[in-house]
Amino acid sequence: MDKADLVWVSISTILVLLMVIPGLAMFYGGLVRSKNILSVMSQVLVTFALAIILWFTYGYSLAFTDGNAFFGGFSRLLFSGMYDLSNNTFELSGSIPELTFASFQATFAGITCALIVGGFAERIKFSAVLVFMAIWLTFSYVPVAHMIWSSTGLLTGAALDFAGGTVVHINAGVAALVAAYMVGPRLGYGKEAMQPHNLTMTMTGAALLWVGWFGFNAGSALGANTQAALAFFNTLLATSAAIIAWVLVEWKTKGNPSLLGAASGAVAGLVGITPAAGLVGPVGALIIGFITSLFCLWGVNGLKRLLGADDSLDVFGIHGVGGIIGGLLTGVFNAKPLGGPGLETIGEIPYQVWLQLEGMLITAIWCAIVTFIALKIAGLLTGGIRVEKDAERQGLDITQHGEQGYHF
């Protein structure tokens, strides 16, 4: 065991927790209307907690132990075999305790589930969210993580995904889009203004996301090493490029450089660099941040209109689109002639990009099917996934949780 690696991965785990609670909760909370702020925060918080428990119970074992192409085995149920407290012995995963690795990965499972909340915010039953998330984690997140990150998965060694561009962001983005279609648009969507009620809170959440993302990306090196250093700087650089790109284009096309645009650009850049963080050079990271931001800007405007789904907080437009563009560009800038540490020649790029796309397509199709089935089951078990119209008009804070975020 390397003590420095143990400390870094432990701190990274805390940083990923910071991304979710309070980061994502505040980012999403500020974007919804004031009558639903506690609802979306509750969904993020409780979904994350549920995911951690399921990960401990069986998720980690099915995702990261040896098995078939889609699922692992049962040797690590309830983290069994990782430690013997009577003898103070711990199994290692690389240079860190396997318990530390499993803890780090638990936060990835948790944030992926929490991201989906933005797709159906402001109109779904809390009970339906919990049933859906339990099913979705088991049959979408776990197998996708196994397929890409385990030693026996279908896409192991083929699709490059350093910190979760496909496993986390495309997976969550597709789930949010399918859920938005199935739950249906918010009452008055497209007819009345549904402006974010607190952009100050959203900006605070975005800042916490950026801080926490260093653990998400650099922590995925699983040690205090040079790859962590590379991922750390690439996360700083790509996000900065994405902010500037979004602000400049928005300024040019809409006449004003908005704070919401800058915050959205930051998240777009963070998503885009996630699959590439430790697998490309800084110049590649700069380009990935810039290009991903432009595609995500289109994703939350033009593409959203084309799709016609009320993806309330643009989960697919930023996380789905950003994960796709970042993943494809990872296959390009991983090449050594373009400053990366991987592919030997330019000629290898087209095949690697195809492998990237293959992994994304498999993930998207798998996730869409699981999401559809999971929501159908959730609806059957909870008497419908959507709240009544009167409850939606009054706001989910009161009708679902019996409390208010603000007292005017």
Side-chain angles (χ1 to χ4, degrees):
M1 185 184 77
D2 186 294
K3 292 181 179 179
D5 291 349
L6 168 60
V7 170
W8 171 238
V9 178
S10 298
I11 290 174
S12 295
T13 303
I14 296 171
L15 288 171
V16 180
L17 175 60
L18 181 75
M19 291 171 66
V20 193
I21 316 294
L24 184 66
M26 296 186 72
F27 184 78
Y28 277 180
L31 289 174
V32 297
R33 290 167 290 180
S34 59
K35 63 183 179 180
N36 295 313
I37 179 176
L38 300 184
S39 167
V40 75
M41 285 185 158
S42 295
Q43 289 174 20
V44 169
L45 175 61
V46 180
T47 288
F48 183 83
L50 175 64
I52 299 300
I53 293 172
L54 297 180
W55 190 253
F56 166 67
T57 307
Y58 59 82
Y60 173 77
S61 186
L62 292 177
F64 281 99
T65 61
D66 291 344
N68 56 42
F70 303 100
F71 287 94
F74 300 101
S75 61
R76 288 293 189 258
L77 296 181
L78 299 173
F79 286 11
S80 62
M82 284 191 193
Y83 48 82
D84 182 353
L85 296 181
S86 63
N87 295 313
N88 196 32
T89 56
F90 288 77
E91 293 294 322
L92 294 182
S93 176
S95 60
I96 60 176
E98 187 178 0
L99 183 61
T100 301
F101 173 72
S103 300
F104 181 60
Q105 290 297 334
T107 60
F108 277 57
I111 194 173
T112 306
C113 292
L115 285 171
I116 301 171
V117 165
F120 45 55
E122 301 196 288
R123 73 260 200 204
I124 194 170
K125 289 180 181 177
F126 188 67
S127 57
V129 172
L130 299 185
V131 174
F132 164 73
M133 290 299 180
I135 299 170
W136 189 88
L137 172 77
T138 306
F139 295 102
S140 188
Y141 184 83
V142 165
V144 171
H146 181 79
M147 281 190 276
I148 293 178
W149 283 340
S150 77
S151 59
T152 60
L154 179 68
L155 300 166
T156 302
L160 300 174
D161 189 2
F162 185 73
T166 299
V167 177
V168 175
H169 297 291
I170 294 177
N171 215 1
V174 170
L177 180 62
V178 173
Y181 280 123
M182 293 184 66
V183 178
R186 289 166 289 180
L187 295 176
Y189 178 69
K191 299 176 182 178
E192 59 185 66
M194 296 184 179
Q195 299 298 323
H197 89 281
N198 192 333
L199 286 179
T200 305
M201 180 181 293
T202 294
M203 172 56 203
T204 304
L208 290 168
L209 282 168
W210 193 356
V211 172
W213 223 291
F214 288 101
F216 197 74
N217 285 355
S220 292
L222 300 177
N225 52 40
T226 54
Q227 192 174 42
L230 177 64
F232 194 99
F233 180 69
N234 283 346
T235 302
L236 182 67
L237 182 63
T239 309
S240 300
I243 292 171
I244 297 301
W246 193 300
V247 166
L248 289 179
V249 173
E250 186 181 58
W251 200 348
K252 176 67 175 178
T253 56
K254 296 185 177 181
N256 297 105
S258 71
L259 174 64
L260 178 58
S264 300
V267 177
L270 290 164
V271 172
I273 198 58
T274 291
L279 302 175
V280 303
V283 173
L286 181 73
I287 297 171
I288 288 172
F290 193 90
I291 293 176
T292 302
S293 183
L294 298 182
F295 272 93
C296 289
L297 178 57
W298 169 72
V300 303
N301 291 290
L303 179 61
K304 187 172 184 176
R305 286 193 294 271
L306 288 174
L307 294 173
D310 182 15
D311 177 2
S312 310
L313 308 183
D314 295 315
V315 185
F316 183 78
I318 291 182
H319 295 274
V321 172
I324 292 168
I325 301 303
L328 293 174
L329 292 177
T330 300
V332 175
F333 290 102
N334 178 249
K336 290 181 179 179
L338 296 179
L343 305 176
E344 294 292 336
T345 66
I346 294 289
E348 296 175 75
I349 291 176
Y351 181 61
Q352 185 59 55
V353 171
W354 162 247
L355 292 177
Q356 299 297 101
L357 181 60
E358 182 183 43
M360 295 172 190
L361 290 173
I362 291 171
T363 297
I365 294 170
W366 183 289
C367 173
I369 293 171
V370 171
T371 302
F372 178 84
I373 295 172
L375 282 171
K376 286 293 185 181
I377 295 173
L380 290 173
L381 294 178
T382 61
I385 55 179
R386 185 162 180 157
V387 300
E388 298 294 332
K389 291 183 178 180
D390 287 343
E392 184 177 343
R393 291 190 183 96
Q394 189 175 357
L396 272 61
D397 289 359
I398 287 289
T399 59
Q400 290 286 295
H401 302 280
E403 52 191 350
Q404 290 178 268
Y406 305 100
H407 297 274
F408 299 106

